[in-house]
Amino acid sequence: MPLIKGAGVRFIDGEYRFNRPLQNHGAFEWQGKLEDADKEDGHNVYMLVRIEGHGWVRYNGKQNKTVSLHNSNWDGAQLYTHNAYMRACRDKGSLQPDNCSPTVHFENKSAR
């Protein structure tokens, strides 16, 4: 998985896989470390993950820390996941828009 980074946030040591049909729900399984890359800014960080046909799911990090994340995302109506998208974001509060990394697309080529 490529390094996913934006202003004040990084997702490092990332790994992913598309599970086979009926294995872990055919999920997009991912893990890595979400890092608050600007500890002086006073903002928290989070990951956004989306699989095709569904909205973004938020996974919170911790301000001034690096946390390990390991999750699976899937659609219960499908045997396996075709496409997944990820981005890392900095939560700038309610008065300012959050800033996120560019969205990274993952495709399960064996599912086509």
Side-chain angles (χ1 to χ4, degrees), residues 30-41:
W30 58 276
Q31 63 183 6
K33 296 176 184 164
L34 180 60
E35 175 183 37
D36 182 351
D38 186 354
K39 296 178 179 28
E40 304 300 317
D41 69 2

Side-chain angles (χ1 to χ4, degrees), residues 65-81:
K65 299 196 184 287
T66 300
V67 297
S68 294
L69 298 174
H70 183 182
N71 290 284
S72 296
N73 298 81
W74 71 89
D75 179 345
Q78 296 179 331
L79 291 178
Y80 48 83
T81 304

Side-chain angles (χ1 to χ4, degrees), residues 5-111:
K5 68 178 183 173
V9 60
R10 296 185 336 151
F11 187 68
I12 57 176
D13 299 332
E15 298 178 16
Y16 76 96
R17 74 172 164 223
F18 286 97
N19 288 299
R20 294 189 318 266
L22 305 177
Q23 177 187 347
N24 190 21
H25 309 281
F28 172 70
E29 185 175 357
W30 58 276
Q31 63 183 6
K33 296 176 184 164
L34 180 60
E35 175 183 37
D36 182 351
D38 186 354
K39 296 178 179 28
E40 304 300 317
D41 69 2
H43 298 296
N44 198 1
V45 295
Y46 60 93
M47 288 298 295
L48 289 175
V49 179
R50 181 174 75 84
I51 60 167
E52 64 183 312
H54 293 274
W56 291 99
V57 179
R58 180 175 170 148
Y59 298 92
N60 289 322
K62 295 203 187 265
Q63 189 174 336
N64 299 326
K65 299 196 184 287
T66 300
V67 297
S68 294
L69 298 174
H70 183 182
N71 290 284
S72 296
N73 298 81
W74 71 89
D75 179 345
Q78 296 179 331
L79 291 178
Y80 48 83
T81 304
H82 293 273
N83 292 287
Y85 307 86
M86 296 180 78
R87 58 184 175 207
C89 301
R90 177 170 54 174
D91 186 343
K92 296 185 73 179
S94 59
L95 299 177
Q96 299 177 25
D98 295 353
N99 57 291
C100 297
S101 69
T103 300
V104 179
H105 172 241
F106 302 94
E107 182 179 5
N108 185 355
K109 295 184 180 176
S110 66

